[in-house]
């Protein structure tokens, strides 16, 4: 079906900024803004752009084929291209130099592939600029996780002990019942035999 074929092609191009879409950078430092793309049928004359806060263009590049590296069309002087497309991964990452507090915001990596009927896709990363990096103290979290894990372990151990105790009690009760049934059967048999012998005796003669 033509419609399904077009839909499949449209979803062949994918753009990603990695596992997390947030980056934190120190004021006046250089920060990497990662971006990679994948395509099922390859690419030709592929165009990629980076935008700041949706509308401000900060980098514009073009890639002829898989065997050629990207060529620069335009870029902000503070933006440096650090990717490569001739290697295994189609990397179109950039570095923003001398980060300022005003650079905090949304950065969008946009890709257009004419070979896929001009299919387009983009991914967004959010940059936070801070005066000082704060180390996260995970001590409290680790304590909570340890306590919860210990309680769960104790609960499981209690359930296992309970099952074993109940199993032993049940086995003991079953054995007692078997003993009682066996004893009762033996007594009745002995009484019956004695009664039969008494009945077989002839009455005394007068």
């Amino acid at each position: 079906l033509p419609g399904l074929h077009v839909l499949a092609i449209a979803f062949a191009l994918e753009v990603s900024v990695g596992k997390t879409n947030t980056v934190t950078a120190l004021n006046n430092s250089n920060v990497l803004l990662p971006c990679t793309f994948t395509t099922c049928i390859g690419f030709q004359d592929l165009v990629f752009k980076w935008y700041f806060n949706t509308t401000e263009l900060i980098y514009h590049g073009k890639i002829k084929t898989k065997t050629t590296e990207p060529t620069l069309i335009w870029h902000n002087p503070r933006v440096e291209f650090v990717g490569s497309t001739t290697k295994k991964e189609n990397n179109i990452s950039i570095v923003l130099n001398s980060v300022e507090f005003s650079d905090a915001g949304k950065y969008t990596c946009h890709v257009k592939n004419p070979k896929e009927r001009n299919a387009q896709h983009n991914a967004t990363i959010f940059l936070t600029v801070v005066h000082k990096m704060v180390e996260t103290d995970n001590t409290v979290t680790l304590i909570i996780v340890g306590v919860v894990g210990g309680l769960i372990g104790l609960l499981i151990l209690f359930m296992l002990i309970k099952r074993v105790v109940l199993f032993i009690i049940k086995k003991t009760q079953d054995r007692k019942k078997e003993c009682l049934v066996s004893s009762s059967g033996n007594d009745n048999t002995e009484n019956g035999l004695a009664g039969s012998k008494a009945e077989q005796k002839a009455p005394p003669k007068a």
Side-chain angles (χ1 to χ4, degrees):
L1 296 173
L4 293 176
H5 180 65
V6 172
L7 185 64
I9 290 178
F11 281 95
L13 178 66
E14 293 289 338
V15 180
S16 173
V17 292
K19 295 180 179 180
T20 177
N21 66 339
T22 58
V23 173
T24 301
L26 276 172
N27 183 41
N28 204 35
S29 68
N30 301 335
V31 61
L32 172 68
L33 301 178
C35 183
T36 59
F37 70 89
T38 56
T39 173
C40 294
I41 63 173
F43 60 87
Q44 187 173 3
D45 296 324
L46 182 141
V47 176
F48 67 96
K49 299 177 181 179
W50 276 91
Y51 291 96
F52 173 57
N53 287 340
T54 307
T55 57
E56 184 181 340
L57 181 66
I58 60 173
Y59 195 94
H60 184 186
K62 186 176 182 179
I63 313 169
K64 185 68 177 175
T65 63
K66 177 66 179 176
T67 58
T68 60
E69 290 290 355
T71 56
L72 171 66
I73 296 176
W74 183 89
H75 75 115
N76 183 297
R78 291 171 53 223
V79 176
E80 178 186 357
F81 182 79
V82 293
S84 174
T85 53
T86 57
K87 298 177 182 179
K88 184 179 179 181
E89 193 175 47
N90 294 321
N91 190 335
I92 50 175
S93 303
I94 59 173
V95 167
L96 183 60
N97 296 312
S98 302
V99 172
E100 302 172 355
F101 289 108
S102 59
D103 293 323
K106 180 174 70 173
Y107 290 82
T108 303
C109 178
H110 180 271
V111 178
K112 179 180 179 181
N113 187 13
K115 192 173 181 179
E116 293 181 280
R117 299 189 181 183
N118 289 320
Q120 302 181 53
H121 198 253
N122 61 67
T124 300
I125 192 166
F126 295 90
L127 173 64
T128 301
V129 182
V130 296
H131 177 69
K132 182 181 179 182
M133 289 290 189
V134 178
E135 293 184 4
T136 304
D137 188 0
N138 295 323
T139 305
V140 176
T141 303
L142 292 174
I143 292 173
I144 294 173
V145 171
V147 171
V148 172
L151 289 174
I152 293 174
L154 287 174
L155 181 61
I156 293 172
L157 181 62
F158 173 76
M159 295 299 292
L160 289 174
I161 293 173
K162 182 181 177 181
R163 283 197 172 190
V164 171
V165 171
L166 290 175
F167 178 77
I168 293 172
I169 291 173
K170 186 175 183 303
K171 282 291 183 181
T172 304
Q173 289 176 345
D174 290 343
R175 287 176 184 175
K176 285 182 178 179
K177 288 180 181 179
E178 289 176 2
C179 289
L180 289 172
V181 171
S182 177
S183 299
S184 176
N186 291 335
D187 291 343
N188 290 336
T189 303
E190 291 174 1
N191 291 335
L193 289 172
S196 298
K197 288 178 181 179
E199 289 173 358
Q200 290 173 2
K201 289 182 180 178
K205 296 181 179 179

